[in-house]
Amino acid sequence: MAFQNPPGVNDLLPSAAFGVQSAINTASRIFASYGYRYIETPMFERTEVFTRGIGEATDVVGKEMYYVFPMSSVAQLAEGESSSLASLALRPESTAGVARAVVQHNLAQPGAPVVKLWYAGSMFRHERQQKGRYREFRQIGAECIGATEPSADAEVIVMLMAFFEELGIPRSQMVLKVNSMGDEACRPLYRNAVRDFILARPEEFCPECLRRADTNPLRAFDCKNPSCQEVLKAAPRITDYLCDECSTQYALVKELLHTAGLSFEEDSRLVRGFDYYTRTVFEVQVHHGLGAQNAIGGGGRYDKLLEEYGAKPTPSLGFAVGLERIMMVLDSLDAAPQLPPRAKVFIAAVDEEARPAAFILASALRTAGISADLDHQARSLKSQFKVADKLGASFTVIIGPDELAQGCYTLRNMTDHTQQTLNQEELIELLG
Ligand code: AMP
C-alpha cells in the first residue's frame, strides 16, 4: 500500500479509540473524587522546559526528543544564517509542561492549597519500536502540586491503583513497586557510589553503561543487557544511603500504604528515568499481556522541579499511565470496553416516497436521545435490512405506502422478528 502510518505511530481505529475514551472517562470520574481538575498544556514547548526538568543526560531528552520547526527556519539554516532547529520540542511527557504552566500562571503560590491537576494526551519519543513501545503514545497523568506530606504520596498511589481497578485490571494482576530515590542531600552520594561500582568493573558492563557512568550512572539499572543486570545485583542500594529525612518520609509513606490495605514490593533498583524525581518513586507492572514492556504506569515526587521554572520551593508529585499498554492488558483479560452498536434503530424506507418520512423520523428519534440511522445509498428494502443487521440495530422501523397512509410505523424487533404498528409517540416511548 502506498500510504501507511510511520513506524511506531498508530491509528486508533474506532474500537481502540473507544477503549481510550472510556479510560479517559473513568479517569475523569475517579480523579474528580480526589479533587483533581483537568488541564491541557501544549503538545510542544520550548525545548528548555524539557532539558531543565527531565534532564539533558536522560535518554528521553538526550536521544528521543522530536523537534518542531517551521520551514522558514530550515531555509535560513540552508542559507547559512544562524538559526536553531532545536528550540521547540514535542512533549515526551507532560509533567514538565504542567509544572511550567503552574508556575507561569501562578497557580501554586506559597500558602495556597495543594493544586491537583490531571491530563490526557499524546506524548512523543523516538524509541525503538516494539510491542508496547511506540513513538506516539497516549498517557493519562495526575500531578499533585505543593504537597509536602507523605499522605499525599500515599493518596496519589491509592488513586492510581483505584483507577486501574476501576478499568478492570484486578489487583491480583498488578505489582506495585515502590522505592525512595533520596534527595539533593543524599542522592549525590549514592550516584557516586554507583558510578564507582561501575567504573571499578569496566570489563563487566556494556559500553553504554560505561559511557553514562559519569553523567547518569543510575540509568544502568534500566539497561536491557542481562549481564549488566546480573552484575548490578551486587551494586550499592539506595536504601543504605538515604538521609534521615528521606528515610523517615519513606517509612511514613509505606506505613500509610499498609493502612490503605495496598500490598507493594520495595524495589531498591527502581530508579525512574527522569532527573526530576526525588524521594518516593513507584511503578505498577503486570504479569500478563505485555511481555517485556510490562510497566503500565509510574511516577513519584519531584520536589525541586517547579523551582527549575522559577517557583519558590513547591514539593510535588504525580504519575503517568500508558493508555496503549492498558488497552493491551484489558484485551488480554477480555475486559476491554466493547464498542456499542452504531444505531439502536434502523429506519427502512420501502420505496422512494417513504424516504422523506424516514429522514424526519430519524431526526425525531435522535432528538429524543435514541440512536437512529437510515439508508443513504439507495438500497432495496432487503438490502436495508441487511445493513440494519450489520450495524447491530436492535429494531428496524419500516415505512411504506400503508404506514404513510395511516400515519404510523411498523416496528420490527431484530432479535425475535416480531412486528407491531405504533404511532410516533408510542414508538419513542417504547424505544426510549
Ligand atoms: P514514563 O513517562 O516514562 O514514566 O512512563 C509512564 C508510562 O507511560 C509507562 O509506564 C508506560 O505505560 C507508558 N509509556 C512510556 N513510554 C512509552 C512508549 N514509548 N510507548 C507506549 N507507552 C509508553
Side-chain angles (χ1 to χ4, degrees):
M1 213 187 298
F3 291 103
Q4 296 209 339
N5 47 350
V9 177
N10 299 311
D11 297 309
L12 288 187
L13 299 181
S15 70
F18 179 73
V20 163
Q21 239 181 2
S22 309
I24 293 173
N25 291 341
T26 303
S28 175
R29 189 161 43 79
I30 300 281
F31 297 173
S33 69
Y34 289 76
Y36 280 75
R37 293 273 162 89
Y38 182 69
I39 185 172
E40 292 206 7
T41 58
M43 290 247 192
F44 58 91
E45 297 266 356
R46 289 185 206 285
T47 304
E48 214 187 335
V49 169
F50 304 121
T51 47
R52 282 249 178 159
I54 304 167
E56 238 152 331
T58 59
D59 280 357
V60 166
V61 168
K63 293 188 193 161
E64 298 168 358
M65 230 156 40
Y66 285 93
Y67 293 104
V68 178
F69 41 81
M71 274 314 286
S72 54
S73 306
V74 182
Q76 277 173 1
L77 206 65
E79 282 162 21
E81 288 178 40
S82 75
S83 164
S84 167
L85 297 184
S87 62
L88 298 172
L90 281 181
R91 62 183 181 197
E93 56 88 82
S94 250
T95 300
V98 170
R100 190 269 311 142
V102 166
V103 177
Q104 179 179 336
H105 301 287
N106 249 330
L107 303 185
Q109 286 142 328
V114 165
V115 179
K116 293 180 167 182
L117 301 168
W118 75 278
Y119 60 82
S122 283
M123 310 299 152
F124 305 88
R125 298 180 196 170
H126 188 83
E127 306 221 54
R128 208 144 47 82
Q129 191 208 346
Q130 59 187 103
K131 186 181 168 193
R133 193 174 273 293
Y134 308 110
R135 293 179 173 171
E136 179 187 15
F137 57 98
R138 285 129 189 110
Q139 285 187 336
I140 291 178
E143 314 294 352
C144 180
I145 314 270
T148 49
E149 292 302 295
S151 54
D153 306 45
E155 185 184 270
V156 159
I157 295 172
V158 166
M159 181 169 94
L160 173 64
M161 299 308 279
F163 170 55
F164 284 141
E165 272 195 274
E166 189 67 18
L167 288 176
I169 309 175
R171 263 200 211 183
S172 57
Q173 297 285 333
M174 299 185 275
V175 182
L176 167 62
K177 296 198 164 177
V178 298
N179 190 22
S180 173
M181 290 183 65
D183 62 9
E184 72 280 10
C186 53
R187 182 144 43 130
L189 300 176
Y190 178 63
R191 276 173 65 114
N192 291 346
V194 175
R195 180 198 58 202
D196 295 347
F197 179 86
I198 296 172
L199 294 179
R201 299 162 182 74
E203 69 291 346
E204 294 178 49
F205 281 96
C206 71
E208 183 71 2
C209 284
L210 285 176
R211 199 179 54 74
R212 285 195 295 202
D214 273 317
T215 51
N216 205 350
L218 302 190
R219 299 308 325 138
F221 289 108
D222 282 341
C223 177
K224 295 284 172 276
N225 207 322
S227 60
C228 295
Q229 288 308 320
E230 194 51 39
V231 189
L232 282 167
K233 284 187 179 158
R237 287 174 183 270
I238 179 77
T239 25
D240 296 328
Y241 285 77
L242 293 180
C243 61
D244 286 349
E245 279 192 15
C246 286
S247 280
T248 309
Q249 199 261 1
Y250 186 35
L252 287 168
V253 173
K254 287 185 284 181
E255 206 175 299
L256 281 165
L257 291 179
H258 279 306
T259 312
L262 276 187
S263 52
F264 58 88
E265 276 177 21
E266 283 187 66
D267 182 352
S268 62
R269 273 167 232 288
L270 180 66
V271 283
R272 297 184 43 75
F274 309 148
D275 282 0
Y276 56 60
Y277 283 120
T278 49
R279 295 192 166 176
T280 314
V281 285
F282 50 91
E283 188 162 282
V284 181
Q285 300 175 351
V286 289
H287 296 303
H288 302 291
L290 285 186
Q293 305 304 322
N294 65 350
I296 51 174
R301 267 201 174 272
Y302 44 87
D303 287 345
K304 297 287 162 194
L305 177 62
L306 275 77
E307 285 171 61
E308 291 290 340
Y309 304 128
K312 302 249 161 46
T314 315
S316 305
L317 73 157
F319 64 71
V321 307
L323 278 172
E324 284 82 357
R325 291 194 198 169
I326 287 176
M327 291 307 137
M328 287 162 75
V329 173
L330 291 178
D331 272 340
S332 79
L333 294 168
D334 245 346
Q338 294 304 307
L339 204 55
R342 258 174 58 180
K344 182 170 183 181
V345 189
F346 189 86
I347 304 160
V350 173
D351 52 26
E352 273 310 301
E353 283 66 48
R355 286 184 175 265
F359 184 82
I360 291 165
L361 179 65
S363 300
L365 293 179
R366 291 163 184 160
T367 305
I370 301 157
S371 61
D373 216 339
L374 70 157
D375 173 47
H376 295 299
Q377 296 168 313
R379 288 176 186 267
S380 68
L381 184 63
K382 198 170 153 202
S383 167
Q384 288 181 58
F385 283 143
K386 282 193 185 144
V387 170
D389 253 342
K390 276 210 176 119
L391 297 187
S394 308
F395 298 93
T396 302
V397 171
I398 303 156
I399 311 178
D402 294 348
E403 286 80 5
L404 287 180
Q406 292 166 30
C408 64
Y409 303 99
T410 300
L411 179 70
R412 182 180 169 85
N413 182 315
M414 300 296 280
T415 319
D416 61 16
H417 303 299
T418 54
Q419 294 198 173
Q420 51 187 316
T421 306
L422 302 165
N423 65 29
Q424 184 165 319
E425 208 177 307
E426 292 164 333
L427 195 65
I428 289 176
E429 170 81 21
L430 193 142
L431 294 173

